Amino acid sequence: MAESRFGVVEAEDLPEDLRERIGVIAEKSGFVPNIFRALGHRPDELRAFLDYHDVLMAKPDGLSKAERELVVVATSGANHCVYCVVAHGAILRVRSKDTELADRVATNPWGAELDDRERAIVDVALALTREPELFGQKDIDKARAAGLTDDEIWDVGAITAFFAASNRLAHLTALKPNAEFYSMGR
């Protein structure tokens, strides 16, 4: 099975700036995630994707890196995005140091056993994922009552929105997860 129904671009065939950015990721992980190879056909879109991803996922304050990945896994599970569940499930296992959390959340984000803070994060993400038109003040109030700050609630929303787009791109391209993701953090 091909990695993407639209083919992929190998890292060495990307423009130099992207080759360098992807090279850093490949050096850390030991491989090039297929999402970058699939988006390589559209270098400007890949740059924009990486820029926004980095702004959202590498923030030094607010949500922890594991909590950010929790949002991705919950929304990707709700959206049935196999690529993002597998890829970000691996990252969540590594960042949370919990070998079961990602699987629990990916398979049933609504019913997964979580602490109060994690539940508040996932509930905001799910409200914006499945029925965003119903999202309202009651969702904000519930998140605040669980201790989330307005900046953290915003981050949950922004990550949810970004990964809704990522999930749709993965569906469009029939993106196959890298084999390496399956064993990470186990």
Side-chain angles (χ1 to χ4, degrees):
M1 178 168 134
E3 291 93 347
S4 166
R5 69 169 46 112
F6 293 95
V8 295
V9 175
E10 296 306 327
E12 61 268 13
D13 296 326
L14 291 169
E16 184 177 345
D17 65 310
L18 289 171
R19 229 180 10 255
E20 289 175 16
R21 279 182 89 169
I22 301 303
V24 171
I25 295 164
E27 191 173 309
K28 275 192 212 177
S29 65
F31 62 97
V32 176
N34 287 338
I35 185 70
F36 306 134
R37 297 171 64 226
L39 292 178
H41 291 287
R42 296 176 175 243
D44 290 338
E45 291 176 31
L46 178 54
R47 281 183 197 94
F49 180 93
L50 289 167
D51 287 345
Y52 197 35
H53 175 278
D54 292 352
V55 165
L56 293 174
M57 301 303 285
K59 275 182 73 173
D61 57 344
L63 299 174
S64 71
K65 288 184 178 187
E67 289 170 335
R68 292 171 194 281
E69 293 298 335
L70 179 65
V71 173
V72 180
V73 173
T75 58
S76 297
N79 286 327
H80 306 286
C81 180
V82 173
Y83 181 86
C84 292
V85 163
V86 171
H88 290 275
I91 299 167
L92 178 56
R93 285 191 301 275
V94 169
R95 294 207 166 140
S96 69
K97 297 178 182 17
D98 183 333
T99 59
E100 298 175 8
L101 177 62
D103 293 338
R104 287 194 322 265
V105 171
T107 57
N108 185 2
W110 297 273
E113 189 176 316
L114 302 168
D115 67 30
D116 291 343
R117 182 176 169 81
E118 292 168 335
R119 174 51 50 204
I121 289 167
V122 168
D123 285 350
V124 168
L126 292 173
L128 289 167
T129 298
R130 301 308 294 169
E131 295 181 313
E133 70 279 9
L134 301 179
F135 188 87
Q137 191 61 45
K138 67 178 175 26
D139 299 295
I140 299 288
D141 293 343
K142 189 175 172 186
R144 286 178 179 153
L148 296 180
T149 67
D150 285 356
D151 281 342
E152 290 171 332
I153 296 166
W154 182 281
D155 285 345
V156 171
I159 293 165
T160 298
F162 177 76
F163 279 93
S166 182
N167 294 164
R168 271 73 178 169
L169 285 170
H171 286 297
L172 171 70
T173 61
L175 195 58
K176 180 181 173 186
N178 300 69
E180 294 90 343
F181 283 126
Y182 289 97
S183 61
M184 285 175 59
R186 295 207 191 262

